[in-house]
Amino acid sequence: MGKNKSNDRPLAQNKKASHDYFIEETYEAGMVLSGTEIKSLRQGRANISDAFATIRNGEIFIHNMHISPFEQGNRHNPDPSRARKLLLHKVQIHKLLGQSKQEGYAIVPLKIYTRNGYAKLLIGLGKGKKQYDKRDTAAKRDAQRDIQRALREKQKVAR
């Protein structure tokens, strides 16, 4: 019958977010986009590594999210890095507003994906990492990589 459009394959990811922030909560938000923006987004032509979210007048906006203009689009293509409105429930926006006012917290975009034909943005409430936290995370990741490498070598020898 109908094809299931529910694929959560990321169209764009913010890999710096987990490096720079401790992500405490995540929210799925819809985005207000134009027709050519969604076409460009589906081609994977988006960048959210420098993006951030702000809350103004009870509405949440994402800034510095770059969606490249669609090649087959016309002269009415919107500005690639304009502020775009996010769609969340009012209760979620108020909760985010209260939590993001705390010292060191920010609303960070994590990834863009499609769900049921609609573009969704996963945003997270992140607490900024200090330099020593980043070093600690890198050390743990390196230690885990060394353990996995040693286990693979041991399995090769056992065969």
Side-chain angles (χ1 to χ4, degrees):
M1 305 273 291
K3 187 168 70 168
N4 187 4
K5 292 183 180 178
S6 178
N7 62 340
D8 288 344
R9 182 182 63 87
L11 301 173
Q13 256 183 321
N14 187 357
K15 294 182 176 146
K16 281 189 347 186
S18 63
H19 182 262
D20 293 339
Y21 297 95
F22 292 114
I23 304 299
E24 296 184 359
E25 281 188 69
T26 60
Y27 298 92
E28 181 181 83
M31 291 186 287
V32 178
L33 299 173
S34 71
T36 56
E37 283 179 321
I38 189 66
K39 289 179 180 184
S40 184
L41 199 64
R42 285 192 176 126
Q43 291 178 347
R45 298 173 50 92
N47 182 3
I48 58 172
S49 60
D50 295 329
F52 62 96
T54 59
I55 300 175
R56 279 191 315 243
N57 300 330
E59 297 179 333
I60 187 165
F61 293 91
I62 182 118
H63 302 275
N64 285 355
M65 180 173 78
H66 187 275
I67 298 178
S68 298
F70 189 59
E71 289 95 11
Q72 286 79 35
N74 56 16
R75 64 176 179 252
H76 300 294
N77 273 338
D79 179 33
S81 57
R82 70 182 176 93
R84 293 168 179 90
K85 185 176 175 180
L86 297 180
L87 305 172
L88 281 174
H89 293 285
K90 198 171 287 277
V91 174
Q92 291 174 322
I93 292 174
H94 289 305
K95 187 175 179 184
L96 270 173
L97 179 64
Q99 291 173 331
S100 66
K101 291 273 189 201
Q102 297 176 30
E103 185 69 27
Y105 281 88
I107 303 169
V108 185
L110 302 175
K111 71 176 178 176
I112 299 174
Y113 54 94
T114 58
R115 174 163 290 156
N116 297 330
Y118 294 102
K120 302 289 183 179
L121 176 68
L122 187 69
I123 57 174
L125 180 70
K127 182 167 176 41
K129 285 186 181 179
K130 304 283 188 228
Q131 191 63 39
Y132 57 85
D133 289 330
K134 293 178 187 179
R135 283 194 295 264
D136 187 45
T137 304
K140 285 180 185 175
R141 185 178 60 239
D142 291 343
Q144 192 64 32
R145 196 177 295 139
D146 291 341
I147 290 169
Q148 291 299 322
R149 188 178 300 126
L151 287 173
R152 276 197 305 273
E153 289 298 319
K154 194 171 189 174
Q155 286 177 347
K156 285 181 183 178
V157 172
R159 288 183 186 175

